[in-house]
Amino acid sequence: MCSDYDTNYKVNPPLRAKKDIEVLKQAIADGLVDAIVTDHAPHLQSEKELEFLTAPFGIASLDCSLALSLRPLLSLKYLIGPAL
């Protein structure tokens, strides 16, 4: 991804390894995580086509964040919490 200098994956904080993702899932399941947030920072395709060092950090993620959060670990009721 970033080792190929693909600016579509130039995000801050950086994408994590599968091991880190599994630890995070377990922390959510154990109730150690109070909130899941996203820093939605999309950019025009022309901005992401710049050289790697010049291209902005960011990824279009808002449309994916709910779907990824609902994957087998969490229910919608759990994600919304006391609001229901």
Side-chain angles (χ1 to χ4, degrees), residues 30-70:
D30 292 344
L32 299 173
V33 174
D34 293 324
I36 299 172
V37 299
T38 176
D39 179 16
H40 180 62
H43 294 280
L44 297 173
Q45 185 62 34
S46 60
E47 294 175 294
K48 294 302 271 186
E49 290 173 352
L50 297 172
E51 292 180 8
F52 192 82
L53 292 175
T54 308
F57 288 95
I59 192 168
S61 63
L62 187 61
D63 54 338
C64 299
S65 61
L66 179 60
L68 291 171
S69 298
L70 286 173

Side-chain angles (χ1 to χ4, degrees), residues 17-34:
K18 286 184 181 186
K19 176 184 166 191
D20 297 318
I21 294 168
E22 293 306 316
V23 170
L24 179 58
K25 285 181 182 179
Q26 189 60 51
I28 293 168
D30 292 344
L32 299 173
V33 174
D34 293 324

